[in-house]
Amino acid sequence: MAKRPRDSEDASPQGKRRKLTANGSSKTINEDISSVKQIQHLLAFSQDAGQNTRQSINTFKVFLESIAYGDNTELQSTRRAILLQYLSPTSTSNVDRQPSDASDLFKLWSFATQCNNEGLYTAITAVLALLLKTISHHVEFRDAGKELCNLLLQREHLKLLERGLSAEKSKAHVISPCLRLLTQIVSFDGGYAAKRVYRNKDITLKRLDTFLSLRQDAKGVDTKSRQKIPVRDVALQYLFANLRLQDHSTKTEILAHGRLSRSLFQDIREDPPSAIQEILQVMQDDVLKDEKIPRRAKGRLFTDQVLGSIATLYSLTNDKESEDGETNHRQYNICELAHAFLLSLCTKPQYGVLLRPEVDASGMENEGVSPPIDHTEKYQELGYPSKRTHKRATILNSTLSSFLQTLRPYASILQRDLTLATFQAAPELISDYFHKKKAFSFEPKLTATWLGFTAFLLSTIQMPLHQTMVGPRGHVLGPPAVSDMVESILPLPLSPKVLSRCLNQNVMIIKFFAINIMIAAFDKYAQTVHHIRSMSRSAPDSSARVWDMAASGLADNFGQRCPDMNHVILVFRGCSSQDTLLREASARLLSLYYQHLPQAALEQKFDASTALSAVFDKMFLSDQIHTRPGVESMVLNHLLDIGRCSPDMRWWQKPEHDQLSIFGRGLRLCTVLKQDSTSYSLETLLHSALSETLSLDATLKNSLLAVLLRSLVKDERSNKSEAAHDLTFSSPLRQNYFLRPPINHERSPSRGRSSSSSRSQDVYTFLDDENWQPSDALFRYLDDCLVRLAKKTVKYHQDFLGLSAESKRTDNPNAYIPSGEFLMVILEQWPFMQTSTMMPDTENIGHWLARFLLILARNGGDVGFIDSVRSKIASLTFNQHSDVWLKKVSGGHFFENQNFHLVQPAMPETCPSATLAGGQAEVEQTRKKQWQPPTPPTLEGENHPGLGKWKQLGIEEAVVEGAIGELMLCLCSRYADIRKQALVELRAWMKALQMSQYREREALYLLVGELIETCKSSVAETSLPHFAGVTAAESCLVLSDPLHFLYAKVNKFLNKGPVWSVEKLPSYWVDQIVMRLPSMDDGYYKEIEWLLQLLTEGLQTPATAALEGLVKRCKTDCDHERVHDWSSGKLFGDHPEKMQATGNG
């Protein structure tokens, strides 16, 4: 077919067809409105509404936008006046008055609905929404706006809105204007018509859940484009307006729609950051923080599915990318916002999701809550049914239980923090969580997931103990199930089998994590047991037994869940010199085994001697070169704790190819360590080892190590004059054995210093010779002497008795023979030392021996015996250098007693808890004065400082320093007021003791309680017998030291009953000590001396005359020199009349 020819060659080309708008009309310029009549003309109703009507409505829309969004203030004022005049009512007499010409707009709206003119309907709806939005910002339109809202909420007009709200989901251009109009109605004037909107909820809220899910239109166009606003965003604003402005009852009914909450939070991660922030903010401020909304309604809103949808926000990055690919930097950190919202939701009971045992799901508190039932059979004895069923108990917080399973705490730090916070708020979820978490096991695999899960488990164990054992009104509930407590300490994935595999891995980091987990578990176990014990003491008698059985059940189950200690021993032994952290952690775990699971630890028979020997050598070398490692110091502390608890320490065994025993290495290390907690712990342990191994007299084991250290350690101060007046050492073991010379204030200045003072200065110059240092040969000699003494104690004791009888004893009654057996060893080995030692070393040893003898003499030793030993050693000395040093301290002024006296400084205020626990016995024994014959009985004075002395001290200090003993003796006062006040003070101290963390508080609490029960009924009439008061005071000191030789017998005495038979106390203790075997193999004479001291101090009143028979019984049944002295009255010295006054003369 041929082309049509052109009409004319010269004709101009034909123009393009004009582009039409969506409704087929061409685009026209909007008319500028300048009067009310012009608006009336534009909006006049006509039956043939067509394109011109659409154009008129569009012109009115532009007019409103210029008022709402314009920047010309003068023009906006003019147009607002025109609009106000247009909306002013024509008549004020009619109640149902309408704006003068706005009725035409409603007629057009109704006409568009009848004619199914969708475009005109949408335009009028949008103009009405814009009209309300424009006038809502100006107060002069308030009345007109209210009338407009009332008109819109009339039933016929709501039917018009329903037409748009019931449109198909694909017609977003019809639905969105209707939602905007409803939003403006609810928001106008602070919610003026909000209630009326909700009353018509069959129309206004009919499909809101559907609109909240419309993120895309029917054609699949992305609703996040800049040209279109999705229906969900408009529906969100409508929902937010209702939640902000409706009252609490209306909001409760709105939130009760389950589909509404599901649509609101479903796929929330697809919303823009601004919308996410607004959703969370409205929920936080207008729902959760509204206290008038019931907790039950809040809990129903946030189900586990809703919480899971919010948790998907954790996967969002802080910055999203826009459509054009450029990074859109926003101020919204969605991850942190979601985390803060979920954290408050899962940890605050007032928000309705978290339920507490004392508050049920309806929000009402339960007045009485029965104790939780344990799995053990012991509870059946108390009347509780057994819970041994195959099904687990119902979890109260089922919503949180299901929600936590959706989190990934091993992959996200924020999710881990949320999980731990939820565990802390609801501890019962820990057991439930790991029972349901079957997807991941703790089998050792060096992967990122395994490391994350390990860190999560460690954080779970390290959570502080939750105080959920006290009800809302202070009433004490029963203990939780033992299985729940054990699984909160060692969660289910941490089985003994899995932990053993981790400890046997070749990868160091796996072993390190496993050991740290066990350390945290032991710490939490100790806290839990302590809390249970404290709850048991505060609980009524009927439930205290339940708490006690819970503690014992926890101990049994925890021991079964721990791996075999042998695996930890293998890890410790396999550590190389470079694995310092692993070595320290494994040593700490071993010490925790000894402290909390002693039975399991003693079965393994771990020998810490070899490890201690290696650490002693390493620490000694590092201190000599001033590079003392901090980690090795921690390892040493842990091994010292093990040595304190282990009965298998081989102190006197010399390792192969070594010249010093383990004790000798520790003694050498003490001479170079600075005075701190480590040196204090080491000295107390060495003192304990020396005392337990050598069967020495009490005076010897209290002084031998201290005098050795004083003779081996020089004073580090450079000012000799200052050192001469205060030779003080910070170690408590050494503090009892330094000298302070007398200061004679009456000396005439003109005559200068006396000869005695000059000799004293020579003593200190001799002691602190700067050129002297203990040599290696000296330590080998001392170690050899100590080892020989440990092996042949009886032989050297006999030698000591023989020399003591030959020597010329002094007449000083306070003098004693210190370290006699040790001096016998030195005397025996002295000739062999000279033949096997080089000349400089012999001189060094001779210098030390002179220092040692001088310190013994200057600390109250028997000068005659010491001088005899010096003379014999000098006679055996063929080395002239050693003989020079011995002659310097021979006879003369060096062994004169020139009123030098012992000074006992106070204990250090701070000591590590681990050191105090093990070294309390040694410190207590060291601080006591040597046993002296007692002074005669004295009469009671008028002042009683012991009544309030304990308030100035701590719990432990009050016991150790005797303040509580003085308070107990106040019950024996002859004054009734003093006795009553003492009883009140004892009860106050019992309460303070109960709330303290003192380890021996339980035994002391029992002792004071029995004392109060014994005397409370008669305290107003008569005093407590003095013997009973002394018994209580001495028992208090015994109970403060678990290593005391009478600790077991005193506890047995306390278990006899709550009230003492005072008249039978003397015969009871004589029978238990004289006629029974001692608690320790070498403790017989110690117990005898304790009994003598008790009987002596108890003889303070004539009422004790009945003790005469006990004296004869002791003399007959016991062969001890001090028993004969005591029974014959020698202990009272020159005061036999005092002895007669007591009825025993």
Side-chain angles (χ1 to χ4, degrees):
M1 183 176 179
K3 292 184 178 180
R4 185 178 64 178
R6 293 180 59 182
D7 295 338
S8 174
E9 295 292 337
D10 299 332
S12 60
Q14 192 175 8
K16 293 183 179 180
R17 183 180 179 184
R18 187 171 53 183
K19 184 177 180 180
L20 302 178
T21 58
N23 56 3
S25 62
S26 61
K27 184 176 180 180
T28 59
I29 301 176
N30 293 317
E31 181 180 356
D32 189 12
I33 298 177
S34 59
S35 64
V36 177
K37 291 184 178 181
Q38 194 172 0
I39 299 177
Q40 294 174 352
H41 177 71
L42 287 173
L43 300 180
F45 174 73
S46 176
Q47 291 287 344
D48 55 348
Q51 179 60 31
N52 293 333
T53 305
R54 288 286 305 275
Q55 181 62 33
S56 299
I57 293 175
N58 190 44
T59 301
F60 184 61
K61 178 182 178 183
V62 173
F63 172 76
L64 294 175
E65 288 176 347
S66 65
I67 298 175
Y69 309 116
D71 53 0
N72 190 337
T73 307
E74 184 178 356
L75 181 61
Q76 285 179 328
S77 300
T78 303
R79 293 186 173 181
R80 280 202 306 270
I82 297 174
L83 182 62
L84 180 61
Q85 186 179 359
Y86 171 74
L87 294 177
S88 298
T90 57
S91 175
T92 59
S93 59
N94 190 3
V95 178
D96 297 329
R97 61 187 180 181
Q98 300 177 359
S100 58
D101 294 304
S103 58
D104 292 336
L105 194 60
F106 285 98
K107 292 179 181 178
L108 288 173
W109 195 23
S110 177
F111 177 75
T113 305
Q114 294 175 3
C115 297
N116 202 18
N117 192 339
E118 198 172 86
L120 181 60
Y121 174 85
T122 303
I124 296 174
T125 307
V127 165
L128 288 173
L130 181 59
L131 176 61
L132 272 177
K133 182 178 181 180
T134 302
I135 66 177
S136 63
H137 296 88
H138 305 282
V139 67
E140 62 269 20
F141 290 94
R142 182 178 181 181
D143 295 335
K146 289 182 178 180
E147 293 175 359
L148 183 59
C149 290
N150 294 333
L151 185 60
L152 286 169
L153 292 176
Q154 292 180 3
R155 197 64 184 176
E156 60 271 16
H157 296 150
L158 287 175
K159 291 292 184 179
L160 300 179
L161 268 176
E162 185 182 12
R163 177 67 180 272
L165 294 174
S166 59
E168 298 178 359
K169 292 189 292 184
S170 59
K171 296 183 178 181
H173 62 284
V174 178
I175 299 172
S176 294
C178 297
L179 292 175
R180 284 198 295 269
L181 179 58
L182 287 173
T183 304
Q184 295 302 323
I185 295 175
V186 173
S187 304
F188 188 80
D189 195 22
Y192 162 74
K195 290 185 178 180
R196 293 185 60 188
V197 172
Y198 183 73
R199 289 194 197 105
N200 297 279
K201 59 184 177 181
D202 56 329
I203 297 176
T204 57
L205 296 174
K206 184 177 181 180
R207 299 179 63 198
L208 184 57
D209 56 326
T210 303
F211 300 149
L212 288 173
S213 61
L214 294 180
R215 287 185 172 87
Q216 291 182 344
D217 58 12
K219 298 180 181 179
V221 179
D222 188 6
T223 58
K224 297 179 182 178
S225 62
R226 297 177 180 177
Q227 288 76 19
K228 291 185 178 181
I229 299 178
V231 176
R232 173 177 170 83
D233 290 359
V234 182
L236 284 175
Q237 297 303 319
Y238 177 46
L239 177 62
F240 295 159
N242 281 277
L243 293 178
R244 289 191 182 104
L245 300 173
Q246 298 285 5
D247 56 8
H248 65 276
S249 59
T250 303
K251 288 194 290 185
T252 302
E253 295 181 10
I254 293 175
L255 296 174
H257 296 279
R259 291 183 299 177
L260 186 65
S261 61
R262 185 166 55 252
S263 301
L264 175 62
F265 292 101
Q266 190 174 11
D267 297 330
I268 189 175
R269 66 190 309 271
E270 301 297 333
D271 291 331
S274 58
I276 296 175
Q277 184 192 30
E278 191 172 9
I279 292 173
L280 299 180
Q281 192 67 37
V282 170
M283 289 292 119
Q284 182 83 19
D285 297 339
D286 300 314
V287 177
L288 296 178
K289 291 185 178 181
D290 191 348
E291 297 179 356
K292 295 182 179 180
I293 298 179
R295 295 175 61 251
R296 188 176 183 180
K298 299 175 185 178
R300 288 182 176 179
L301 173 63
F302 294 99
T303 60
D304 54 336
Q305 292 87 355
V306 170
L307 296 177
S309 299
I310 301 176
T312 58
L313 299 176
Y314 281 119
S315 60
L316 294 181
T317 56
N318 293 341
D319 295 324
K320 289 186 176 182
E321 293 187 357
S322 56
E323 287 183 343
D324 54 2
E326 298 179 357
T327 301
N328 183 15
H329 297 282
R330 282 178 279 264
Q331 66 273 25
Y332 311 112
N333 193 334
I334 302 303
C335 294
E336 295 181 0
L337 289 175
H339 176 69
F341 181 80
L342 288 173
L343 193 64
S344 60
L345 197 62
C346 297
T347 58
K348 295 182 178 180
Q350 62 269 26
Y351 288 174
V353 178
L354 174 65
L355 301 178
R356 289 287 172 81
E358 66 271 13
V359 181
D360 58 17
S362 62
M364 300 299 294
E365 294 184 358
N366 296 326
E367 293 295 335
V369 182
S370 59
I373 304 170
D374 198 1
H375 292 272
T376 59
E377 295 179 355
K378 298 179 181 179
Y379 282 84
Q380 299 181 29
E381 301 175 2
L382 300 178
Y384 296 109
S386 176
K387 257 181 87 174
R388 289 185 174 179
T389 57
H390 296 287
K391 296 183 180 180
R392 293 187 56 81
T394 304
I395 298 299
L396 182 62
N397 291 283
S398 58
T399 299
L400 291 176
S401 175
S402 302
F403 166 61
L404 290 178
Q405 297 297 321
T406 63
L407 298 179
R408 301 173 66 231
Y410 49 85
S412 171
I413 296 178
L414 292 179
Q415 295 187 51
R416 183 187 66 186
D417 294 342
L418 175 62
T419 306
L420 294 176
T422 308
F423 285 164
Q424 182 64 20
E428 71 276 3
L429 292 177
I430 299 177
S431 174
D432 178 76
Y433 176 83
F434 290 106
H435 270 279
K436 295 179 179 178
K437 199 71 173 179
K438 305 292 185 181
F440 187 80
S441 63
F442 195 64
E443 293 293 334
K445 299 176 183 178
L446 192 57
T447 61
T449 304
W450 186 88
L451 292 176
F453 194 69
T454 303
F456 168 63
L457 285 173
L458 181 60
S459 301
T460 303
I461 298 173
Q462 290 176 341
M463 287 191 312
L465 188 65
H466 190 269
Q467 306 295 328
T468 57
M469 301 180 185
V470 178
R473 289 181 172 83
H475 56 274
V476 180
L477 305 179
V482 171
S483 59
D484 292 342
M485 290 190 291
V486 171
E487 291 180 11
S488 66
I489 299 173
L490 276 176
L492 190 62
L494 300 175
S495 62
K497 182 178 180 180
V498 173
L499 288 173
S500 300
R501 290 181 181 177
C502 294
L503 293 174
N504 292 323
Q505 291 291 312
N506 295 326
V507 183
M508 189 195 73
I509 191 172
I510 295 180
K511 294 189 287 188
F512 186 72
F513 267 112
I515 290 177
N516 281 333
I517 285 176
M518 288 302 302
I519 291 174
F522 270 102
D523 292 340
K524 191 170 185 180
Y525 165 75
Q527 296 175 9
T528 306
V529 171
H530 169 72
H531 183 74
I532 292 176
R533 295 297 185 188
S534 62
M535 295 298 294
S536 175
R537 289 190 296 270
S538 61
D541 296 338
S542 58
S543 58
R545 185 184 175 191
V546 181
W547 287 98
D548 293 337
M549 286 190 296
S552 60
L554 177 61
D556 296 339
N557 284 268
F558 179 74
Q560 296 174 3
R561 292 292 302 274
C562 291
D564 194 356
M565 181 180 162
N566 188 42
H567 300 292
V568 187
I569 296 175
L570 294 178
V571 173
F572 178 77
R573 291 175 177 172
C575 292
S576 63
S577 58
Q578 299 178 352
D579 301 334
T580 54
L581 294 178
L582 182 61
R583 180 178 176 84
E584 187 275 332
S586 57
R588 182 183 177 187
L589 181 56
L590 288 175
S591 67
L592 291 174
Y593 266 96
Y594 274 96
Q595 294 175 24
H596 302 293
L597 298 176
Q599 184 176 358
L602 294 177
E603 290 177 356
Q604 299 298 327
K605 298 186 181 298
F606 170 65
D607 182 18
S609 307
T610 306
L612 266 178
S613 178
V615 175
F616 284 163
D617 290 343
K618 190 172 184 179
M619 295 284 290
F620 178 73
L621 295 176
S622 62
D623 272 297
Q624 284 186 332
I625 61 177
H626 305 289
T627 58
R628 177 179 173 185
V631 178
E632 287 298 329
S633 178
M634 299 171 66
V635 174
L636 176 59
N637 283 324
H638 301 325
L639 293 177
L640 292 177
D641 293 337
I642 295 174
R644 190 176 297 110
C645 301
S646 175
D648 300 326
M649 290 294 296
R650 295 177 294 176
W651 288 107
W652 312 107
Q653 179 178 355
K654 293 183 180 180
E656 188 177 0
H657 307 299
D658 289 333
Q659 297 179 343
L660 294 179
S661 66
I662 300 174
F663 186 91
R665 294 168 187 268
L667 179 64
R668 183 180 63 177
L669 180 61
C670 285
T671 61
V672 297
L673 283 179
K674 295 181 180 180
Q675 297 302 308
D676 55 8
S677 60
T678 303
S679 63
Y680 169 69
S681 179
L682 176 58
E683 290 175 9
T684 52
L685 180 59
L686 292 179
H687 177 72
S688 175
L690 190 64
S691 304
E692 294 175 1
T693 305
L694 308 179
S695 300
L696 303 177
D697 196 0
T699 58
L700 302 180
K701 66 181 182 182
N702 282 340
S703 63
L704 178 56
L705 181 62
V707 177
L708 278 175
L709 291 176
R710 179 62 186 93
S711 64
L712 292 171
V713 178
K714 295 199 315 176
D715 194 354
E716 298 178 354
R717 284 167 294 188
S718 59
N719 190 347
K720 292 184 179 180
S721 62
E722 180 185 355
H725 288 80
D726 189 13
L727 295 179
T728 307
F729 289 83
S730 60
S731 170
L733 195 58
R734 305 178 198 177
Q735 284 177 352
N736 287 344
Y737 301 97
F738 64 84
L739 305 177
R740 178 170 296 169
I743 300 177
N744 190 357
H745 298 284
E746 300 178 356
R747 184 183 303 133
S748 175
S750 60
R751 298 182 60 183
R753 197 176 281 182
S754 65
S755 60
S756 176
S757 179
S758 300
R759 290 194 298 268
S760 300
Q761 186 65 33
D762 293 339
V763 172
Y764 292 104
T765 304
F766 174 75
L767 283 176
D768 297 312
D769 184 7
E770 293 181 356
N771 298 324
W772 182 82
Q773 290 284 352
S775 62
D776 293 339
L778 173 58
F779 285 110
R780 290 195 297 269
Y781 175 66
L782 290 177
D783 183 67
D784 183 66
C785 292
L786 290 171
V787 171
R788 290 177 180 273
L789 178 59
K791 293 180 179 179
K792 300 179 180 180
T793 306
V794 178
K795 184 258 185 189
Y796 292 112
H797 182 66
Q798 293 176 352
D799 295 343
F800 159 67
L801 294 178
L803 183 61
S804 177
E806 297 175 3
S807 62
K808 182 180 179 181
R809 299 293 300 271
T810 181
D811 294 334
N812 184 7
N814 294 327
Y816 65 99
I817 305 176
S819 309
E821 290 85 352
F822 182 66
L823 289 176
M824 294 299 100
V825 185
I826 293 178
L827 179 61
E828 180 190 70
Q829 297 299 316
W830 186 256
F832 304 102
M833 181 274 299
Q834 297 179 83
T835 58
S836 60
T837 309
M838 302 297 293
M839 186 70 65
D841 293 334
T842 304
E843 181 182 357
N844 185 275
I845 296 174
H847 191 165
W848 165 81
L849 181 58
R851 290 167 55 91
F852 182 72
L853 294 176
L854 180 60
I855 293 174
L856 283 179
R858 291 296 178 177
N859 281 274
D862 190 279
V863 175
F865 175 78
I866 296 175
D867 191 53
S868 299
V869 173
R870 184 208 60 78
S871 300
K872 286 185 175 293
I873 293 177
S875 64
L876 298 174
T877 302
F878 49 82
N879 185 301
Q880 58 180 355
H881 298 283
S882 300
D883 189 56
V884 169
W885 290 110
L886 291 174
K887 287 181 179 179
K888 284 186 177 182
V889 294
S890 63
H893 61 273
F894 276 93
F895 282 167
E896 291 179 356
N897 193 336
Q898 300 170 1
N899 296 324
F900 282 78
H901 55 278
L902 288 173
V903 181
Q904 297 184 358
M907 282 288 294
E909 294 183 359
T910 58
C911 290
S913 59
T915 306
L916 283 174
Q920 184 63 38
E922 292 79 6
V923 175
E924 174 62 25
Q925 293 177 1
T926 304
R927 295 184 59 193
K928 291 181 180 178
K929 292 184 178 181
Q930 306 298 340
W931 190 89
Q932 303 292 345
T935 58
T938 57
L939 297 177
E940 181 184 2
E942 297 294 335
N943 297 326
H944 297 79
L947 289 174
K949 185 178 179 180
W950 69 273
K951 297 181 180 178
Q952 304 173 5
L953 304 172
I955 295 296
E956 183 176 358
E957 294 176 351
V959 176
V960 173
E961 296 185 7
I964 302 303
E966 296 180 16
L967 180 59
M968 292 175 174
L969 289 176
C970 290
L971 294 173
C972 306
S973 174
R974 56 180 175 175
Y975 305 107
D977 294 340
I978 299 299
R979 298 195 300 268
K980 293 179 181 178
Q981 187 176 353
L983 191 63
V984 174
E985 295 293 334
L986 278 176
R987 287 172 174 168
W989 187 77
M990 282 184 65
K991 186 175 182 181
L993 178 66
Q994 184 180 4
M995 302 302 294
S996 69
Q997 303 294 326
Y998 188 35
R999 289 194 174 187
E1000 305 303 325
R1001 61 187 179 279
E1002 296 180 0
L1004 289 172
Y1005 186 86
L1006 181 60
L1007 170 65
V1008 179
E1010 292 184 3
L1011 180 63
I1012 292 176
E1013 290 294 327
T1014 302
C1015 64
K1016 69 177 182 180
S1017 59
S1018 59
V1019 68
E1021 292 78 13
T1022 181
S1023 61
L1024 181 72
H1026 195 78
F1027 187 83
V1030 173
T1031 301
E1034 292 296 327
S1035 300
C1036 186
L1037 293 176
V1038 172
L1039 293 177
S1040 65
D1041 178 12
L1043 299 180
H1044 197 279
F1045 50 85
L1046 278 173
Y1047 188 81
K1049 291 189 177 180
V1050 172
N1051 277 280
K1052 181 180 178 181
F1053 166 69
L1054 295 179
N1055 290 330
K1056 290 179 64 66
V1059 180
W1060 298 349
S1061 298
V1062 179
E1063 64 278 0
K1064 296 181 180 180
L1065 280 179
S1067 60
Y1068 172 82
W1069 284 112
V1070 170
D1071 180 72
Q1072 290 294 319
I1073 291 178
V1074 178
M1075 306 302 296
R1076 304 293 177 88
L1077 293 175
S1079 301
M1080 299 182 180
D1081 295 338
D1082 58 344
Y1084 180 70
Y1085 291 110
K1086 305 174 190 176
E1087 294 184 4
I1088 290 294
E1089 291 184 359
W1090 185 88
L1091 176 62
L1092 296 181
Q1093 189 75 17
L1094 182 66
L1095 294 175
T1096 302
E1097 294 180 0
L1099 297 177
Q1100 296 291 325
T1101 60
T1104 56
L1107 296 179
E1108 183 178 359
L1110 295 176
V1111 176
K1112 296 179 180 179
R1113 181 178 177 183
C1114 290
K1115 186 175 180 180
T1116 303
D1117 298 335
C1118 180
D1119 186 15
H1120 193 278
E1121 56 180 358
R1122 288 182 185 163
V1123 175
H1124 296 276
D1125 293 340
W1126 184 83
S1127 61
S1128 58
K1130 293 181 181 180
L1131 297 184
F1132 289 97
D1134 299 331
H1135 301 275
E1137 68 280 0
K1138 298 289 185 178
M1139 187 69 179
Q1140 294 176 1
T1142 61
N1144 290 283

